[in-house]
Amino acid sequence: MQRLSKLWQRKGVRVGFVPTMGYLHAGHLSLVSRARQLVGSRGKVVVSIYVNPTQFGPSEDFSRYPRDLKHDLGLCQSESVDVVFAPSDKEMYPNKGGEPFSTFVLEGKLSRGMEGAARPTHFRGVTTVVAKLFNLVQPSVAVFGAKDYQQAVIVKHMARNLNFPLEIDVAPICREPDGLAMSSRNRYLKGNLRAQALVLWRSIEKIHAIVCDSSKAIAAGRLKAIVRTLVKREPAARLDYVEFFDPDSLAPVAKVGQGTHMALAVFIGKTRLIDNSRL
Ligand code: AMP
């Protein structure tokens, strides 16, 4: 991968990169078309497919995370992706032989709250694998989804802090027609769990309406209580967190107004879903 990227660089070819964990859906493909737009028809688009073990906690769904490389390759081909980079765990994290893996990238501030508080080793895994992928693919621009809003902010920050010579582009969230954010994990939602999962989007819409209708900022605690009540109505749903924060610093705010960002994580049965929106 690195050899190929260097060859492209020497020829002045721009490279657009979309890192994924595979089991691709229309949300991923929207990032691919954004990457293509950004590098043009003479540029190259690289998609990585790698279910990164270091970003999963010990009791999370790493081993059962959905995988279908053949289907993903078909989708990438129909989207005119130039290269699909799908390394193995052994290549990414060698643990035997001369040079076992022992270096991690740790962002120390933005990754503390929300997903970082709920999943303590998650962002260390994300920043480590993204740094490795950036060094392997050496893109001119990498495209991330706003679906994982905190991740996108952290990756942007890491790229600046560590002087990665690339641009980070953040693409909007793709939703199903009823509002559910597209996610590879939606395939876990069997039976009536699919309908219950809509509580994330309903919560966002409800809070959005309240904030838009109010001329004054509203106490975050009051809005959190409203979300808690909405989630409690769904028998299989359990709120992990809901947060209101500054979109750049990710610092929680006490008063919520237009321009505040909202994020929430909800378990629907055993499936943990996340969503977010600017208010
Ligand atoms: P994943 O395969 O879940 O790690 O996601 C790979 C990339 O696709 C990340 O940058 C995600 O934020 C992005 N992504 C996932 N779902 C969506 C979606 N529904 N809309 C936009 N981007 C998404």
Side-chain angles (χ1 to χ4, degrees):
M1 184 70 247
Q2 214 173 45
R3 255 199 320 270
L4 185 58
S5 289
K6 287 197 163 145
L7 189 82
W8 287 336
Q9 260 168 35
R10 277 200 296 276
K11 293 184 181 161
V13 172
R14 273 172 68 73
V15 178
F17 177 41
V18 180
T20 82
M21 298 203 298
Y23 211 75
L24 303 179
H25 50 68
H28 294 118
L29 300 184
S30 74
L31 308 192
V32 169
S33 64
R34 184 110 166 191
R36 172 60 68 199
Q37 233 173 31
L38 291 166
V39 299
S41 57
R42 292 180 51 229
K44 301 287 183 188
V45 172
V46 178
V47 171
S48 66
I49 295 181
Y50 182 57
V51 184
N52 171 39
T54 64
Q55 71 190 67
F56 287 80
S59 57
E60 292 179 0
D61 57 345
F62 171 67
S63 56
R64 65 184 195 109
Y65 192 85
R67 294 161 168 90
D68 189 346
L69 186 59
K70 209 166 147 198
H71 186 242
D72 290 347
L73 291 175
L75 286 174
C76 286
Q77 192 159 35
S78 55
E79 295 293 314
S80 307
V81 168
D82 294 286
V83 171
V84 175
F85 178 54
S88 68
D89 288 342
K90 255 203 210 139
E91 287 170 303
M92 291 298 271
Y93 299 108
N95 58 11
K96 294 198 190 79
E99 236 182 316
F101 190 86
S102 59
T103 308
F104 291 86
V105 177
L106 196 61
E107 192 289 319
K109 201 174 101 213
L110 302 165
S111 54
R112 287 210 190 127
M114 297 189 282
E115 287 301 286
R119 308 176 67 191
T121 56
H122 174 64
F123 285 123
R124 176 179 103 137
V126 169
T127 42
T128 301
V129 81
V130 169
K132 283 169 70 66
L133 290 168
F134 284 174
N135 284 328
L136 288 160
V137 177
Q138 308 201 356
S140 329
V141 56
V143 186
F144 288 80
K147 161 81 184 354
D148 299 273
Y149 185 82
Q150 186 178 12
Q151 167 177 283
V153 172
I154 290 169
V155 167
K156 261 190 186 172
H157 189 76
M158 175 194 80
R160 277 198 303 269
N161 276 182
L162 299 184
N163 309 97
F164 280 98
L166 50 82
E167 280 169 59
I168 306 286
D169 187 78
V170 182
I173 302 178
C174 282
R175 298 182 179 279
E176 300 290 353
D178 62 4
L180 180 70
M182 289 182 186
S183 164
S184 308
R185 289 189 170 101
N186 290 350
R187 72 152 289 164
Y188 299 143
L189 302 171
K190 302 284 191 243
N192 67 11
L193 295 181
R194 172 64 180 75
Q196 295 189 53
L198 262 188
V199 72
L200 286 94
W201 175 238
R202 271 208 311 276
S203 300
I204 289 174
E205 280 197 311
K206 172 92 185 169
I207 300 298
H208 197 258
I210 295 172
V211 170
C212 278
D213 286 349
S214 170
S215 53
K216 290 185 302 201
I218 307 166
R222 222 183 97 200
L223 298 176
K224 284 183 185 179
I226 292 169
V227 172
R228 228 174 279 129
T229 307
L230 279 174
V231 172
K232 264 201 190 124
R233 273 194 217 151
E234 306 297 330
R238 180 167 62 81
L239 182 66
D240 195 3
Y241 68 80
V242 54
E243 196 56 86
F244 297 92
F245 55 95
D246 177 274
D248 301 316
S249 70
L250 306 183
V253 297
K255 291 277 186 184
V256 178
Q258 282 178 32
T260 302
H261 210 98
M262 163 181 180
L264 75 170
V266 181
F267 281 97
I268 305 292
K270 285 187 186 140
T271 305
R272 187 174 178 281
L273 300 177
I274 57 172
D275 204 344
N276 71 88
S277 179
R278 188 70 52 94
L279 297 171

